[in-house]
Amino acid sequence: LITGADGFIGSHLTEKLIKQGHKVTALSFYNSFGFDGWLHDVKKSKNLKIVRGDIRDGNFISNITKGHEVVFHLAALISIPYSYESYDAFLNTNVLGTTNSVMPFIPALKKQNSGILVCISSVASFIPLPFHGGYSSSKIAIKMIFDSWRPTLNKYKIKVITICPGFIDTPMVKGPARNFPLQKADHAAKKAAGNMKGKPDLSGASTAQLKAILKAKNSDRNKPKNEQVEVQEADGKHKNPMNQTDYDKEAGIVGNAKKEKDRKSGVGVD
């Protein structure tokens, strides 16, 4: 299930997963025009089922839980200055909408002793954006919710993943914002879909992975390049250590001066 599948990144993710051979239920926000947003550009497929509803409606979500082993939660109100004046709308949609969208799936996943829950938070959960208080606080909240669920659900073999994108190049990004280091929406979709294959998303932003990046950033520059860096998976398990050079290549923080500068400042980790 993908919530927010009618959005720009959500539609790309839908397309990627279908190409990988997965069956996808794409949740589109209901409107009287029957318009499914960016899903309109996704080719029809026997593996694609589009449903229309509202993530704030817990009863609606409860009725579509059956048969899903993976939940990608992308639906949210976007970061705009309006969030400074409308905390209720942002908290109700982004926070309560998250618990409404994800919690109904947990009992079934516990029973089958497997599953994957993926939530899209934001770098705003680490660096609150001025004049975007409603948006930033909502993204902090859902990151904390998933961080709390991760160890709780680990014993049921349910993988809990939080992705905190930085600046994604979508039609919503206009004006001076385009001066930031933008990632393509297709790239973001690949990162999210990569978790379906069991690959660690080292440029994603689970708490443990971010700590590993910060640990590498703050390490002594004079230490040998074969220093071991420990990376923790989102499910709480440790993968085999890799040396510093290999880790930097995986994380995409080696190569040119700009990336090195981003590494020091923490900007651009998506």
Side-chain angles (χ1 to χ4, degrees):
L1 174 76
I2 302 175
T3 72
D6 48 346
F8 197 70
I9 297 176
S11 63
H12 279 76
L13 177 59
T14 299
E15 195 169 44
K16 289 293 180 185
L17 293 177
I18 290 174
K19 286 181 178 179
Q20 290 178 5
H22 300 287
K23 293 183 178 180
V24 177
T25 299
L27 177 55
S28 173
F29 184 53
Y30 175 80
N31 60 79
S32 60
F33 301 102
F35 180 60
D36 294 317
W38 289 98
L39 283 173
H40 179 75
D41 295 332
V42 177
K43 293 181 180 179
K44 292 182 179 180
S45 168
K46 63 180 181 180
N47 287 337
L48 173 62
K49 177 183 179 182
I50 298 176
V51 295
R52 301 181 181 93
D54 192 327
I55 61 171
R56 294 169 295 183
D57 185 348
N59 290 328
F60 163 73
I61 296 294
S62 295
N63 290 330
I64 62 172
T65 59
K66 188 176 180 180
H68 295 96
E69 298 180 350
V70 181
V71 179
F72 287 92
H73 178 58
L74 281 74
L77 291 181
I78 63 173
S79 175
I80 54 175
Y82 169 71
S83 74
Y84 182 72
E85 300 178 353
S86 186
Y87 278 80
D88 285 352
F90 276 78
L91 295 178
N92 285 335
T93 301
N94 294 2
V95 181
L96 296 182
T98 295
T99 55
N100 283 345
S101 297
V102 179
M103 289 186 70
F105 292 88
I106 293 178
L109 298 182
K110 281 184 175 181
K111 188 175 181 179
Q112 70 185 27
N113 212 38
S114 67
I116 302 175
L117 302 175
V118 183
C119 179
I120 303 297
S121 180
S122 170
V123 293
S125 64
F126 298 100
I127 309 172
L129 304 176
F131 306 106
H132 293 69
Y135 177 82
S136 294
S137 60
S138 70
K139 291 299 183 178
I140 291 170
I142 62 175
K143 180 182 177 298
M144 291 297 105
I145 290 171
F146 265 61
D147 285 354
S148 175
W149 283 350
R150 189 168 297 115
T152 305
L153 298 177
N154 183 50
K155 64 180 179 180
Y156 298 102
K157 298 181 180 179
I158 300 174
K159 191 173 185 179
V160 179
I161 300 166
T162 309
I163 299 176
C164 298
F167 300 95
I168 308 299
D169 189 3
T170 75
M172 296 181 293
V173 182
K174 299 178 180 179
R178 299 204 63 82
N179 293 324
F180 287 102
L182 299 175
Q183 293 282 353
K184 296 294 183 182
D186 188 57
H187 171 77
K190 286 180 179 178
K191 290 295 181 183
N195 288 295
M196 291 286 288
K197 298 180 179 180
K199 296 179 180 178
D201 184 6
L202 296 179
S203 63
S206 73
T207 300
Q209 290 164 351
L210 183 66
K211 286 180 179 178
I213 292 172
L214 292 176
K215 178 181 177 182
K217 180 191 74 172
N218 295 322
S219 64
D220 187 351
R221 291 293 190 186
N222 295 322
K223 288 183 179 180
K225 280 296 183 179
N226 63 354
E227 176 191 2
Q228 298 294 296
V229 178
E230 187 176 49
V231 181
Q232 189 179 36
E233 294 272 23
D235 60 6
K237 297 179 180 179
H238 288 37
K239 64 171 287 185
N240 292 330
M242 59 179 74
N243 64 50
Q244 182 70 50
T245 302
D246 289 343
Y247 178 80
D248 285 351
K249 288 180 179 178
E250 282 280 352
I253 50 178
V254 90
N256 58 46
K258 183 179 183 304
K259 288 185 177 179
E260 187 65 20
K261 181 179 179 181
D262 289 345
R263 182 187 180 188
K264 291 179 181 178
S265 64
V267 176
V269 178
D270 68 328

